Amino acid sequence: FWDFLILFFCLPVVIFNEITKKRLLGDVSCRIVPFMEVSSLGVTTFSLCALGIDRFHAATSPQASTRPIEQCQSIIAKLAVIWVGSMTLSVPEILLWQLAQDTSPVSGGVTEFCTMKPSSNLPESIYSLVLTYQNARMWWYFGCYFCLPILFTVSCQLVTRRIRGTEKKSECRATKHGQCESHLNCTIIALTIIYGLCTTPENVCNIVVAYMSPDMSKQTLDLLNLINQFFLFFKCSVTPVLLLCLCRPLGQAFMDCCCCCCEGCGPDTTSSEGSADSKLKTEMSSSIFFDKPRETPPPLLALGTPC
C-alpha cells in the first residue's frame, strides 16, 4: 500500500517537475515527497526485519508445524508500529526541504526546485536539531535504511539455516511444512535482493556527493537525484509484483478480485462452484503469511436434493 502511495503521489510530481521545471503544489510537495520517500524506505526496512524475526521464531519454535495462525489484531498492531515508527523517523525531512527558484541559463525563465536548507524561521532548538540531522543524514541513510535490513535478513537466514541443518533433512523436506518454510525464506531473500539493488545507487550517490559536491555542477546533482528517484519508483513497482508472483494464494486472490471487478459479482451456480473450488485450493496451498500446515481437505457435502 505504501508503494502504491509513492507511485500515485510522488511519481506524477517528479515527472511534472522534470517536464515543466515547475513544482506541482509548490512548497508542500517539496516537503511531502521526501517525507514519503524516506518513510517508504523505513517501512520496507522494518518490514524485512519483522519478517526475519518471524522466520527465526518459526525455526526455533519447538512445535513450529502446529503453531497457530496469528490473529489479525496482532498483525495490524505490528503494521501500526512499523508505519508510525517509519513516519516518525522521517519527520525531519519535512523541516529540511523548501522550495527555491532560479533563472535558467538556457531559456532565461524562472525554474523551481527543492533545496535541502532548513528554514531560518524555525525555533533555535529545532533548527539546531534539523542541522544535526542534515549533517548526519548520509550515514543515517546508509546505516539504518541499507545496512540494517540487509545484515539483519542475512543474519536471520544464516541462523535459521543452521538450526534447520541440525534437523533431519529428509523429514524436513518431505513434509509440506518444510516446503512452505523454504518457500517463505526464498521470498524474503528475493525481497531483500530487490531492495538492496534499488537502494545501492542512492547510497553511492550520497557518499559521492558528500565528498565531491563542490566540484560537481548543479545539472550533475539534479541528474543523480533523478536517478535515485527512478530506482525508488522501480522498487515500488517491482516489489508488489514480486510478492504476488511468489505468493500464489495472494496472487490468486488478487486475480479473483480483479476478475470480480471486471465481470461483476452476479449470482451464478457455476461460478459459485468454481469459486468454492478455488477457495478450497487456495486454502490448501502454502501461504506466505501462515506457518500452520493445512490438513487434508474435508469432504464436500452435497447441498439440496437429487431433484
Side-chain angles (χ1 to χ4, degrees):
F1 181 70
W2 198 273
D3 292 335
F4 171 76
L5 291 180
I6 294 294
L7 296 176
F8 181 78
F9 181 78
C10 299
L11 182 59
V13 173
V14 173
I15 294 178
F16 182 83
N17 184 34
E18 291 299 322
I19 295 177
T20 64
K21 301 302 178 183
K22 299 292 183 180
R23 197 69 185 181
L24 189 65
L25 301 179
D27 188 66
V28 176
S29 65
C30 279
R31 300 177 185 272
I32 297 299
V33 170
F35 169 76
M36 295 184 64
E37 291 177 349
V38 177
S39 298
S40 173
L41 297 178
V43 168
T44 307
T45 295
F46 300 130
S47 297
L48 290 175
C49 292
L51 291 174
I53 294 175
D54 180 75
R55 293 296 89 218
F56 175 77
H57 179 66
T60 57
S61 178
Q63 296 180 348
S65 59
T66 59
R67 201 174 72 168
I69 298 176
E70 189 173 5
Q71 298 296 325
C72 182
Q73 292 81 359
S74 175
I75 298 177
I76 293 177
K78 293 178 181 179
L79 291 177
V81 171
I82 292 174
W83 279 41
V84 173
S86 301
M87 290 188 291
T88 302
L89 294 176
S90 305
V91 168
E93 296 289 332
I94 300 179
L95 306 176
L96 183 61
W97 294 87
Q98 60 178 333
L99 182 66
Q101 294 182 347
D102 193 10
T103 303
S104 175
V106 179
S107 61
V110 178
T111 60
E112 297 180 348
F113 61 95
C114 298
T115 179
M116 190 184 300
K117 182 180 179 182
S119 176
S120 58
N121 298 327
L122 294 174
E124 184 177 357
S125 58
I126 299 179
Y127 183 80
S128 61
L129 290 176
V130 175
L131 280 181
T132 303
Y133 173 81
Q134 181 180 2
N135 296 330
R137 186 174 182 269
M138 177 191 67
W139 295 112
W140 169 254
Y141 253 60
F142 181 73
C144 182
Y145 298 134
F146 182 76
C147 295
L148 176 62
I150 294 179
L151 295 179
F152 198 93
T153 303
V154 171
S155 301
C156 290
Q157 290 296 320
L158 291 178
V159 174
T160 302
R161 289 179 180 274
R162 184 175 182 84
I163 293 175
R164 293 197 174 278
T166 59
E167 302 176 355
K168 294 182 179 180
K169 296 183 179 180
S170 60
E171 295 180 359
C172 181
R173 293 181 179 178
T175 60
K176 187 176 181 180
H177 177 71
Q179 297 176 359
C180 178
E181 291 295 324
S182 178
H183 186 230
L184 297 179
N185 292 331
C186 293
T187 302
I188 297 176
I189 293 175
L191 294 175
T192 305
I193 292 175
I194 291 296
Y195 178 76
L197 292 177
C198 293
T199 54
T200 297
E202 181 175 6
N203 287 278
V204 173
C205 291
N206 290 337
I207 296 176
V208 171
V209 170
Y211 292 100
M212 300 180 58
S213 180
D215 301 332
M216 302 176 68
S217 62
K218 183 179 180 301
Q219 290 76 11
T220 304
L221 296 176
D222 294 340
L223 179 60
L224 293 177
N225 185 37
L226 184 62
I227 293 175
N228 296 336
Q229 289 183 321
F230 167 77
F231 277 101
L232 177 62
F233 297 145
F234 179 76
K235 178 192 75 69
C236 294
S237 303
V238 173
T239 301
V241 177
L242 180 66
L243 190 59
L244 291 175
C245 293
L246 293 179
C247 180
R248 296 184 183 91
L250 183 62
Q252 183 62 38
F254 181 79
M255 294 302 298
D256 292 343
C257 182
C258 293
C259 294
C260 181
C261 295
C262 295
E263 299 176 1
C265 298
D268 188 8
T269 305
T270 305
S271 61
S272 299
E273 294 177 356
S275 62
D277 294 338
S278 62
K279 288 181 179 179
L280 181 58
K281 293 179 180 178
T282 302
E283 291 178 355
M284 291 303 301
S285 58
S286 60
S287 173
I288 190 175
F289 303 105
F290 304 135
D291 294 317
K292 183 179 179 181
R294 304 298 182 180
E295 304 296 337
T296 56
L300 298 178
L301 299 179
L303 301 179
T305 63
C307 297

